[in-house]
Amino acid sequence: MVKPIYVINGPNLNRLGKREPEIYGMTTLAEIEAICRDAAGDTPVRFHQSNSEGQIIDWIHEAIDEGAGIVINPAGFSFTSVAILDALKMFPGPIVELHISNIHKREEIYHRSLVSKIATAVIAGLGPRGYATAVKSLRELADE
């Protein structure tokens, strides 16, 4: 059985399509899930979103035991959560950190992601299509 790719989304991403469309666009999280599943081909995807740090950590723990790789958009937790960083440090496979906007073109508070310190790769600024890039890249990384 092929191990799934975990796609984990952090706080406020459930509001995509309505939240600051000038930054994040009009694509909804449901549409992003479809993009991920299409990009994964025959590889299973476990797609999650939570506004709760503890739930995100629980999914990372699940991925440690069951996943081939993790695509994570930790959103605001990118810059504040040592707990998510510590959980990701335990994951033995590839991790792609993803941001819809280019965090480096934004306010200073968004320039220092803790998650980047453990990520195999970082994708920022490609909008929702960045998810397809992340999933396709993760499939290749997991096969190495």
Side-chain angles (χ1 to χ4, degrees):
M1 182 171 150
V2 176
K3 289 185 171 187
I5 292 172
Y6 278 71
V7 180
I8 302 172
N9 294 279
N12 300 310
L13 292 170
N14 57 307
R15 302 293 298 168
L16 287 175
K18 298 175 185 172
R19 173 189 180 211
E20 299 176 281
E22 68 281 1
I23 295 174
Y24 301 106
M26 296 298 294
T27 305
T28 67
L29 193 61
E31 291 168 323
I32 288 173
E33 180 176 0
I35 289 167
C36 290
R37 292 188 186 286
D38 184 56
D42 58 355
T43 303
V45 173
R46 300 226 180 124
F47 192 91
H48 301 290
Q49 186 281 326
S50 181
N51 297 320
S52 169
E53 183 179 35
Q55 179 62 72
I56 291 168
I57 292 166
D58 288 345
W59 287 324
I60 295 168
H61 289 176
E62 183 180 303
I64 291 167
D65 297 330
E66 300 177 20
I70 297 173
V71 173
I72 185 163
N73 183 344
F77 288 139
S78 305
F79 319 102
T80 62
S81 181
V82 173
I84 288 175
L85 172 64
D86 286 346
L88 288 168
K89 284 180 179 179
M90 292 183 269
F91 186 72
I95 299 166
V96 177
E97 177 186 5
L98 180 124
H99 298 280
I100 294 170
S101 69
N102 182 348
I103 60 175
H104 304 289
K105 287 180 70 176
R106 299 188 60 198
E107 298 89 345
E108 181 76 23
I109 194 169
Y110 299 114
H111 293 183
R112 295 177 190 249
S113 168
L114 296 173
V115 174
S116 294
K117 296 179 185 331
I118 191 66
T120 308
V122 179
I123 297 172
L126 292 179
R129 70 180 159 269
Y131 281 86
T133 302
V135 169
K136 288 175 185 176
S137 297
L138 194 61
R139 286 182 68 194
E140 292 176 13
L141 289 167
D143 288 342
E144 290 180 352

